[in-house]
Structures are given as C-alpha cells and as structure tokens.
Amino acid sequence: MRPSHRKRHKLKSEINVVPYIDVMLVLLIIFMVTTPMLNANVDVNLPQANARSLKDKKDPVIISVGSDGKLFLTLGDAKKEAIDEEGLKTKVGAFVKANPEVSVLVAGDRDGKYDGVYQVLADLQQAGVAKVGLMSQPPQGTSASDGRK
C-alpha cells in the first residue's frame, strides 16, 4: 500500500472582522435614532415675575433645572441636552472662558426644589462664571414691552 500524500493546509491566524462591523453599524443606527428622542420634550414650568427682558446680542447659555432635579444645557444655537453636574462645570466653564460676554441664565421649574437651582448656581461659581441670571415668565395679561399690566 501506498501512503497517501495529502496536502497540509496552513491554519489562518486572521480574525474575521466583518461580523463585528455589522454589529457596530446596527448599534450606530440604533443610537442615531434613539438619541434625539431622549431630549426632545423637556418642559420647564418657569415662575412668573414682573421683570424686564434682557437685550443681548449673543445667544445666552441656558441651564434648565427640571422639577425632578435633572439638568439640561443649551449652548448658543445648539439643542437642549441632558447633562450632569461635572459636565455642566466643564462645558459652561470652557464656553464662558471662550466667550466672556455671553449671558448665563438658569431656568428653574416652578414646581421644582430650590436646592436644585442653588446647586447649579454653586456649580457655575466653581466653573468661573461671574454673572448668572434667573429666568422667569411674565405674568399672564401683561404687555411684553415693559412687563406691567
């Protein structure tokens, strides 16, 4: 009998990355679809007050404090985004250093706790923001020009 001479195939030591790419693309699409839905409808019920509105040339930085204490940040023309305290300090501090003339406003929900607004004010002070304004809505039945009935 003759011994059979089979060719020995070398083992491939490569990783097939195609399935990983497919999974990453699916995850990317899922995050692209769900991310705008997370921040879409955040209503802050502002308190009413007889105050003049600010006339500012630049778009202000607005920090919204929801009734549940969650923080949302709007930088200039950007969309409102959810943010934590550390991110707030970092982003607002850097934005104000780059634009020292920009107004920083805090919009606290009327039904929220004072502690949430106070904590935001303390965080802004630590971030180096010198001037902070509080937002409100004019009382119902007032004219928009002077804030009086």
Side-chain angles (χ1 to χ4, degrees):
M1 291 224 226
R2 262 174 96 179
S4 65
H5 294 302
R6 282 197 242 164
K7 289 186 179 180
R8 294 193 107 180
H9 294 286
K10 288 186 178 180
L11 292 175
K12 289 186 179 181
S13 61
E14 298 175 2
I15 298 174
N16 188 3
V17 295
V18 174
Y20 299 118
I21 294 172
D22 292 343
V23 170
M24 291 304 295
L25 289 175
V26 169
L27 288 174
L28 177 66
I29 292 170
I30 290 171
F31 286 122
M32 287 174 56
V33 170
T34 58
T35 301
M37 291 181 204
L38 296 175
N39 300 331
N41 296 323
V42 178
D43 293 327
V44 175
N45 192 8
L46 293 175
Q48 296 180 353
N50 290 327
R52 293 181 294 136
S53 63
L54 296 174
K55 305 286 188 229
D56 197 5
K57 295 177 185 174
K58 295 183 179 181
D59 290 327
V61 174
I62 300 174
I63 298 104
S64 303
V65 183
S67 60
D68 55 356
K70 290 184 181 176
L71 302 176
F72 300 93
L73 177 64
T74 307
L75 290 175
D77 292 333
K79 286 187 170 185
K80 187 182 287 190
E81 62 175 296
I83 195 164
D84 62 345
E85 288 183 27
E86 290 302 316
L88 176 75
K89 291 178 195 177
T90 305
K91 282 189 177 182
V92 173
F95 194 78
V96 169
K97 284 180 186 174
N99 305 309
E101 298 297 319
V102 72
S103 299
V104 178
L105 302 173
V106 177
D109 193 291
R110 176 184 6 200
D111 300 326
K113 294 183 179 180
Y114 176 72
D115 183 48
V117 174
Y118 183 79
Q119 186 61 45
V120 167
L121 294 174
D123 291 341
L124 290 175
Q125 183 182 26
Q126 290 177 0
V129 178
K131 292 183 180 179
V132 178
L134 297 176
M135 293 180 68
S136 67
Q137 289 181 340
Q140 301 299 334
T142 62
S143 66
S145 61
D146 65 352
R148 297 183 184 171
K149 292 184 180 180

mmCIF file of all heavy atoms in Angstrom, residues 19-57:
data_model
loop_
_atom_site.group_PDB
_atom_site.id
_atom_site.type_symbol
_atom_site.label_atom_id
_atom_site.label_comp_id
_atom_site.label_asym_id
_atom_site.label_seq_id
_atom_site.Cartn_x
_atom_site.Cartn_y
_atom_site.Cartn_z
ATOM 1 N N PRO A 19 -18.329 40.376 10.914
ATOM 2 C CA PRO A 19 -19.472 40.365 11.837
ATOM 3 C C PRO A 19 -19.417 41.504 12.863
ATOM 4 O O PRO A 19 -20.439 42.058 13.234
ATOM 5 C CB PRO A 19 -19.371 39.010 12.541
ATOM 6 C CG PRO A 19 -18.532 38.165 11.663
ATOM 7 C CD PRO A 19 -17.621 39.096 10.941
ATOM 8 N N TYR A 20 -18.214 41.869 13.301
ATOM 9 C CA TYR A 20 -18.086 42.970 14.259
ATOM 10 C C TYR A 20 -18.489 44.294 13.627
ATOM 11 O O TYR A 20 -19.113 45.132 14.263
ATOM 12 C CB TYR A 20 -16.655 43.050 14.792
ATOM 13 C CG TYR A 20 -16.225 41.804 15.525
ATOM 14 C CD1 TYR A 20 -15.171 41.042 15.070
ATOM 15 C CD2 TYR A 20 -16.887 41.405 16.673
ATOM 16 C CE1 TYR A 20 -14.784 39.894 15.740
ATOM 17 C CE2 TYR A 20 -16.502 40.265 17.344
ATOM 18 C CZ TYR A 20 -15.459 39.509 16.876
ATOM 19 O OH TYR A 20 -15.082 38.398 17.539
ATOM 20 N N ILE A 21 -18.128 44.471 12.376
ATOM 21 C CA ILE A 21 -18.507 45.691 11.671
ATOM 22 C C ILE A 21 -20.028 45.761 11.528
ATOM 23 O O ILE A 21 -20.638 46.814 11.715
ATOM 24 C CB ILE A 21 -17.803 45.765 10.297
ATOM 25 C CG1 ILE A 21 -16.295 45.919 10.498
ATOM 26 C CG2 ILE A 21 -18.350 46.913 9.463
ATOM 27 C CD1 ILE A 21 -15.492 45.798 9.224
ATOM 28 N N ASP A 22 -20.648 44.642 11.205
ATOM 29 C CA ASP A 22 -22.109 44.618 11.077
ATOM 30 C C ASP A 22 -22.787 44.989 12.391
ATOM 31 O O ASP A 22 -23.731 45.777 12.418
ATOM 32 C CB ASP A 22 -22.585 43.232 10.628
ATOM 33 C CG ASP A 22 -22.165 42.907 9.200
ATOM 34 O OD1 ASP A 22 -21.805 43.856 8.469
ATOM 35 O OD2 ASP A 22 -22.199 41.722 8.835
ATOM 36 N N VAL A 23 -22.297 44.434 13.473
ATOM 37 C CA VAL A 23 -22.880 44.744 14.786
ATOM 38 C C VAL A 23 -22.683 46.212 15.124
ATOM 39 O O VAL A 23 -23.604 46.889 15.608
ATOM 40 C CB VAL A 23 -22.252 43.834 15.878
ATOM 41 C CG1 VAL A 23 -22.649 44.303 17.267
ATOM 42 C CG2 VAL A 23 -22.681 42.397 15.665
ATOM 43 N N MET A 24 -21.517 46.764 14.858
ATOM 44 C CA MET A 24 -21.252 48.171 15.154
ATOM 45 C C MET A 24 -22.142 49.088 14.326
ATOM 46 O O MET A 24 -22.635 50.105 14.821
ATOM 47 C CB MET A 24 -19.772 48.506 14.910
ATOM 48 C CG MET A 24 -18.842 47.848 15.904
ATOM 49 S SD MET A 24 -19.229 48.224 17.618
ATOM 50 C CE MET A 24 -18.909 49.956 17.633
ATOM 51 N N LEU A 25 -22.384 48.768 13.077
ATOM 52 C CA LEU A 25 -23.265 49.586 12.248
ATOM 53 C C LEU A 25 -24.702 49.546 12.755
ATOM 54 O O LEU A 25 -25.396 50.570 12.769
ATOM 55 C CB LEU A 25 -23.190 49.134 10.789
ATOM 56 C CG LEU A 25 -21.883 49.475 10.070
ATOM 57 C CD1 LEU A 25 -21.869 48.864 8.676
ATOM 58 C CD2 LEU A 25 -21.695 50.976 9.990
ATOM 59 N N VAL A 26 -25.160 48.391 13.185
ATOM 60 C CA VAL A 26 -26.510 48.288 13.743
ATOM 61 C C VAL A 26 -26.615 49.122 15.021
ATOM 62 O O VAL A 26 -27.581 49.868 15.227
ATOM 63 C CB VAL A 26 -26.882 46.813 14.005
ATOM 64 C CG1 VAL A 26 -28.149 46.709 14.829
ATOM 65 C CG2 VAL A 26 -27.051 46.076 12.686
ATOM 66 N N LEU A 27 -25.612 49.042 15.898
ATOM 67 C CA LEU A 27 -25.631 49.839 17.121
ATOM 68 C C LEU A 27 -25.576 51.330 16.817
ATOM 69 O O LEU A 27 -26.260 52.130 17.460
ATOM 70 C CB LEU A 27 -24.458 49.446 18.018
ATOM 71 C CG LEU A 27 -24.565 48.078 18.693
ATOM 72 C CD1 LEU A 27 -23.279 47.753 19.426
ATOM 73 C CD2 LEU A 27 -25.741 48.053 19.641
ATOM 74 N N LEU A 28 -24.789 51.720 15.839
ATOM 75 C CA LEU A 28 -24.717 53.119 15.445
ATOM 76 C C LEU A 28 -26.075 53.630 14.982
ATOM 77 O O LEU A 28 -26.515 54.709 15.383
ATOM 78 C CB LEU A 28 -23.673 53.296 14.340
ATOM 79 C CG LEU A 28 -23.526 54.709 13.779
ATOM 80 C CD1 LEU A 28 -22.972 55.625 14.862
ATOM 81 C CD2 LEU A 28 -22.638 54.706 12.566
ATOM 82 N N ILE A 29 -26.760 52.867 14.175
ATOM 83 C CA ILE A 29 -28.090 53.272 13.704
ATOM 84 C C ILE A 29 -29.067 53.363 14.862
ATOM 85 O O ILE A 29 -29.859 54.310 14.951
ATOM 86 C CB ILE A 29 -28.580 52.291 12.617
ATOM 87 C CG1 ILE A 29 -27.720 52.455 11.358
ATOM 88 C CG2 ILE A 29 -30.049 52.510 12.300
ATOM 89 C CD1 ILE A 29 -27.949 51.391 10.319
ATOM 90 N N ILE A 30 -29.019 52.418 15.776
ATOM 91 C CA ILE A 30 -29.927 52.453 16.934
ATOM 92 C C ILE A 30 -29.682 53.704 17.764
ATOM 93 O O ILE A 30 -30.627 54.412 18.133
ATOM 94 C CB ILE A 30 -29.750 51.175 17.791
ATOM 95 C CG1 ILE A 30 -30.311 49.970 17.039
ATOM 96 C CG2 ILE A 30 -30.432 51.332 19.149
ATOM 97 C CD1 ILE A 30 -29.998 48.646 17.697
ATOM 98 N N PHE A 31 -28.430 54.035 18.036
ATOM 99 C CA PHE A 31 -28.133 55.234 18.822
ATOM 100 C C PHE A 31 -28.486 56.511 18.078
ATOM 101 O O PHE A 31 -28.935 57.487 18.673
ATOM 102 C CB PHE A 31 -26.668 55.253 19.261
ATOM 103 C CG PHE A 31 -26.367 54.283 20.360
ATOM 104 C CD1 PHE A 31 -25.417 53.308 20.201
ATOM 105 C CD2 PHE A 31 -27.054 54.355 21.558
ATOM 106 C CE1 PHE A 31 -25.141 52.410 21.222
ATOM 107 C CE2 PHE A 31 -26.787 53.474 22.586
ATOM 108 C CZ PHE A 31 -25.828 52.491 22.411
ATOM 109 N N MET A 32 -28.298 56.524 16.766
ATOM 110 C CA MET A 32 -28.649 57.716 15.994
ATOM 111 C C MET A 32 -30.158 57.956 16.003
ATOM 112 O O MET A 32 -30.614 59.096 15.969
ATOM 113 C CB MET A 32 -28.150 57.581 14.556
ATOM 114 C CG MET A 32 -26.647 57.728 14.430
ATOM 115 S SD MET A 32 -26.018 57.416 12.774
ATOM 116 C CE MET A 32 -26.957 58.547 11.800
ATOM 117 N N VAL A 33 -30.937 56.909 16.057
ATOM 118 C CA VAL A 33 -32.393 57.056 16.064
ATOM 119 C C VAL A 33 -32.908 57.401 17.456
ATOM 120 O O VAL A 33 -33.790 58.245 17.612
ATOM 121 C CB VAL A 33 -33.056 55.762 15.536
ATOM 122 C CG1 VAL A 33 -34.552 55.776 15.742
ATOM 123 C CG2 VAL A 33 -32.731 55.580 14.059
ATOM 124 N N THR A 34 -32.357 56.787 18.492
ATOM 125 C CA THR A 34 -32.902 56.985 19.834
ATOM 126 C C THR A 34 -32.399 58.235 20.537
ATOM 127 O O THR A 34 -33.097 58.787 21.376
ATOM 128 C CB THR A 34 -32.600 55.768 20.736
ATOM 129 O OG1 THR A 34 -31.193 55.570 20.792
ATOM 130 C CG2 THR A 34 -33.300 54.532 20.233
ATOM 131 N N THR A 35 -31.203 58.723 20.236
ATOM 132 C CA THR A 35 -30.649 59.878 20.936
ATOM 133 C C THR A 35 -31.509 61.131 20.803
ATOM 134 O O THR A 35 -31.767 61.790 21.810
ATOM 135 C CB THR A 35 -29.205 60.146 20.480
ATOM 136 O OG1 THR A 35 -28.433 58.981 20.748
ATOM 137 C CG2 THR A 35 -28.610 61.326 21.204
ATOM 138 N N PRO A 36 -31.983 61.511 19.623
ATOM 139 C CA PRO A 36 -32.835 62.704 19.558
ATOM 140 C C PRO A 36 -34.141 62.555 20.335
ATOM 141 O O PRO A 36 -34.702 63.544 20.811
ATOM 142 C CB PRO A 36 -33.118 62.866 18.067
ATOM 143 C CG PRO A 36 -32.037 62.131 17.377
ATOM 144 C CD PRO A 36 -31.646 61.020 18.288
ATOM 145 N N MET A 37 -34.628 61.343 20.498
ATOM 146 C CA MET A 37 -35.877 61.136 21.228
ATOM 147 C C MET A 37 -35.712 61.334 22.727
ATOM 148 O O MET A 37 -36.662 61.657 23.417
ATOM 149 C CB MET A 37 -36.400 59.726 20.964
ATOM 150 C CG MET A 37 -36.884 59.497 19.578
ATOM 151 S SD MET A 37 -37.485 57.819 19.449
ATOM 152 C CE MET A 37 -37.293 57.559 17.709
ATOM 153 N N LEU A 38 -34.514 61.134 23.246
ATOM 154 C CA LEU A 38 -34.296 61.244 24.681
ATOM 155 C C LEU A 38 -34.438 62.672 25.188
ATOM 156 O O LEU A 38 -34.901 62.900 26.291
ATOM 157 C CB LEU A 38 -32.904 60.713 25.043
ATOM 158 C CG LEU A 38 -32.665 59.231 24.793
ATOM 159 C CD1 LEU A 38 -31.212 58.887 25.088
ATOM 160 C CD2 LEU A 38 -33.591 58.392 25.635
ATOM 161 N N ASN A 39 -34.027 63.656 24.393
ATOM 162 C CA ASN A 39 -34.012 65.042 24.835
ATOM 163 C C ASN A 39 -35.086 65.890 24.167
ATOM 164 O O ASN A 39 -35.058 67.104 24.279
ATOM 165 C CB ASN A 39 -32.653 65.667 24.537
ATOM 166 C CG ASN A 39 -31.545 64.939 25.230
ATOM 167 O OD1 ASN A 39 -31.751 64.355 26.275
ATOM 168 N ND2 ASN A 39 -30.368 64.960 24.649
ATOM 169 N N ALA A 40 -36.010 65.282 23.488
ATOM 170 C CA ALA A 40 -36.942 66.037 22.659
ATOM 171 C C ALA A 40 -37.898 66.917 23.466
ATOM 172 O O ALA A 40 -37.987 68.112 23.224
ATOM 173 C CB ALA A 40 -37.734 65.081 21.775
ATOM 174 N N ASN A 41 -38.616 66.379 24.408
ATOM 175 C CA ASN A 41 -39.659 67.141 25.083
ATOM 176 C C ASN A 41 -39.369 67.278 26.564
ATOM 177 O O ASN A 41 -39.775 66.462 27.369
ATOM 178 C CB ASN A 41 -41.016 66.457 24.895
ATOM 179 C CG ASN A 41 -41.431 66.448 23.453
ATOM 180 O OD1 ASN A 41 -41.178 67.403 22.733
ATOM 181 N ND2 ASN A 41 -42.056 65.373 23.020
ATOM 182 N N VAL A 42 -38.672 68.342 26.910
ATOM 183 C CA VAL A 42 -38.394 68.641 28.303
ATOM 184 C C VAL A 42 -39.068 69.969 28.601
ATOM 185 O O VAL A 42 -38.637 71.017 28.140
ATOM 186 C CB VAL A 42 -36.878 68.737 28.569
ATOM 187 C CG1 VAL A 42 -36.620 69.102 30.010
ATOM 188 C CG2 VAL A 42 -36.203 67.445 28.200
ATOM 189 N N ASP A 43 -40.144 69.936 29.344
ATOM 190 C CA ASP A 43 -40.873 71.157 29.666
ATOM 191 C C ASP A 43 -40.459 71.650 31.036
ATOM 192 O O ASP A 43 -40.473 70.904 32.009
ATOM 193 C CB ASP A 43 -42.385 70.901 29.655
ATOM 194 C CG ASP A 43 -42.876 70.585 28.249
ATOM 195 O OD1 ASP A 43 -42.306 71.137 27.296
ATOM 196 O OD2 ASP A 43 -43.817 69.781 28.122
ATOM 197 N N VAL A 44 -40.081 72.911 31.098
ATOM 198 C CA VAL A 44 -39.753 73.553 32.360
ATOM 199 C C VAL A 44 -40.818 74.609 32.592
ATOM 200 O O VAL A 44 -41.004 75.504 31.771
ATOM 201 C CB VAL A 44 -38.344 74.187 32.321
ATOM 202 C CG1 VAL A 44 -38.070 74.945 33.604
ATOM 203 C CG2 VAL A 44 -37.303 73.114 32.127
ATOM 204 N N ASN A 45 -41.530 74.507 33.684
ATOM 205 C CA ASN A 45 -42.598 75.419 34.031
ATOM 206 C C ASN A 45 -41.992 76.584 34.811
ATOM 207 O O ASN A 45 -41.796 76.504 36.009
ATOM 208 C CB ASN A 45 -43.642 74.663 34.866
ATOM 209 C CG ASN A 45 -44.908 75.439 35.040
ATOM 210 O OD1 ASN A 45 -45.089 76.490 34.427
ATOM 211 N ND2 ASN A 45 -45.783 74.933 35.880
ATOM 212 N N LEU A 46 -41.671 77.701 34.113
ATOM 213 C CA LEU A 46 -40.989 78.825 34.736
ATOM 214 C C LEU A 46 -41.926 79.619 35.636
ATOM 215 O O LEU A 46 -43.110 79.758 35.347
ATOM 216 C CB LEU A 46 -40.423 79.760 33.661
ATOM 217 C CG LEU A 46 -39.303 79.203 32.810
ATOM 218 C CD1 LEU A 46 -38.944 80.193 31.713
ATOM 219 C CD2 LEU A 46 -38.094 78.914 33.647
ATOM 220 N N PRO A 47 -41.385 80.172 36.733
ATOM 221 C CA PRO A 47 -42.208 81.055 37.571
ATOM 222 C C PRO A 47 -42.461 82.372 36.840
ATOM 223 O O PRO A 47 -41.743 82.742 35.918
ATOM 224 C CB PRO A 47 -41.341 81.270 38.813
ATOM 225 C CG PRO A 47 -39.959 80.966 38.377
ATOM 226 C CD PRO A 47 -40.056 79.979 37.265
ATOM 227 N N GLN A 48 -43.490 83.090 37.282
ATOM 228 C CA GLN A 48 -43.845 84.360 36.661
ATOM 229 C C GLN A 48 -43.337 85.510 37.515
ATOM 230 O O GLN A 48 -43.353 85.445 38.738
ATOM 231 C CB GLN A 48 -45.354 84.458 36.493
ATOM 232 C CG GLN A 48 -45.898 83.408 35.556
ATOM 233 C CD GLN A 48 -47.390 83.501 35.396
ATOM 234 O OE1 GLN A 48 -48.051 84.254 36.068
ATOM 235 N NE2 GLN A 48 -47.917 82.729 34.462
ATOM 236 N N ALA A 49 -42.889 86.583 36.848
ATOM 237 C CA ALA A 49 -42.385 87.749 37.562
ATOM 238 C C ALA A 49 -42.478 88.973 36.666
ATOM 239 O O ALA A 49 -42.469 88.857 35.437
ATOM 240 C CB ALA A 49 -40.940 87.538 37.993
ATOM 241 N N ASN A 50 -42.561 90.153 37.279
ATOM 242 C CA ASN A 50 -42.552 91.425 36.546
ATOM 243 C C ASN A 50 -41.105 91.887 36.410
ATOM 244 O O ASN A 50 -40.617 92.656 37.219
ATOM 245 C CB ASN A 50 -43.363 92.489 37.287
ATOM 246 C CG ASN A 50 -44.839 92.194 37.248
ATOM 247 O OD1 ASN A 50 -45.334 91.633 36.278
ATOM 248 N ND2 ASN A 50 -45.541 92.557 38.295
ATOM 249 N N ALA A 51 -40.426 91.425 35.388
ATOM 250 C CA ALA A 51 -39.028 91.796 35.173
ATOM 251 C C ALA A 51 -38.836 92.125 33.704
ATOM 252 O O ALA A 51 -39.519 91.582 32.838
ATOM 253 C CB ALA A 51 -38.106 90.653 35.580
ATOM 254 N N ARG A 52 -37.900 93.020 33.450
ATOM 255 C CA ARG A 52 -37.592 93.376 32.068
ATOM 256 C C ARG A 52 -36.802 92.249 31.416
ATOM 257 O O ARG A 52 -35.997 91.588 32.068
ATOM 258 C CB ARG A 52 -36.767 94.655 32.020
ATOM 259 C CG ARG A 52 -37.520 95.881 32.474
ATOM 260 C CD ARG A 52 -36.649 97.114 32.381
ATOM 261 N NE ARG A 52 -35.544 96.996 33.343
ATOM 262 C CZ ARG A 52 -34.284 97.303 33.071
ATOM 263 N NH1 ARG A 52 -33.942 97.733 31.890
ATOM 264 N NH2 ARG A 52 -33.355 97.171 33.991
ATOM 265 N N SER A 53 -37.009 92.080 30.122
ATOM 266 C CA SER A 53 -36.234 91.069 29.418
ATOM 267 C C SER A 53 -34.883 91.645 29.045
ATOM 268 O O SER A 53 -34.734 92.850 28.851
ATOM 269 C CB SER A 53 -36.974 90.604 28.161
ATOM 270 O OG SER A 53 -37.117 91.686 27.264
ATOM 271 N N LEU A 54 -33.891 90.771 28.971
ATOM 272 C CA LEU A 54 -32.540 91.190 28.638
ATOM 273 C C LEU A 54 -32.399 91.332 27.129
ATOM 274 O O LEU A 54 -32.893 90.513 26.366
ATOM 275 C CB LEU A 54 -31.524 90.156 29.133
ATOM 276 C CG LEU A 54 -31.444 89.974 30.637
ATOM 277 C CD1 LEU A 54 -30.503 88.826 30.951
ATOM 278 C CD2 LEU A 54 -30.965 91.234 31.309
ATOM 279 N N LYS A 55 -31.719 92.366 26.714
ATOM 280 C CA LYS A 55 -31.392 92.557 25.298
ATOM 281 C C LYS A 55 -29.927 92.187 25.144
ATOM 282 O O LYS A 55 -29.044 92.890 25.623
ATOM 283 C CB LYS A 55 -31.613 94.010 24.872
ATOM 284 C CG LYS A 55 -32.999 94.538 25.150
ATOM 285 C CD LYS A 55 -33.995 93.982 24.182
ATOM 286 C CE LYS A 55 -35.324 94.689 24.369
ATOM 287 N NZ LYS A 55 -36.432 93.846 24.489
ATOM 288 N N ASP A 56 -29.671 91.075 24.501
ATOM 289 C CA ASP A 56 -28.303 90.598 24.350
ATOM 290 C C ASP A 56 -28.053 90.266 22.893
ATOM 291 O O ASP A 56 -28.904 89.700 22.214
ATOM 292 C CB ASP A 56 -28.081 89.354 25.218
ATOM 293 C CG ASP A 56 -26.613 89.064 25.434
ATOM 294 O OD1 ASP A 56 -25.775 89.863 24.996
ATOM 295 O OD2 ASP A 56 -26.318 88.015 26.028
ATOM 296 N N LYS A 57 -26.870 90.614 22.407
ATOM 297 C CA LYS A 57 -26.517 90.361 21.017
ATOM 298 C C LYS A 57 -26.193 88.891 20.775
ATOM 299 O O LYS A 57 -26.468 88.356 19.726
ATOM 300 C CB LYS A 57 -25.321 91.228 20.618
ATOM 301 C CG LYS A 57 -25.635 92.699 20.645
ATOM 302 C CD LYS A 57 -24.412 93.512 20.321
ATOM 303 C CE LYS A 57 -24.730 94.990 20.482
ATOM 304 N NZ LYS A 57 -23.562 95.828 20.325
#
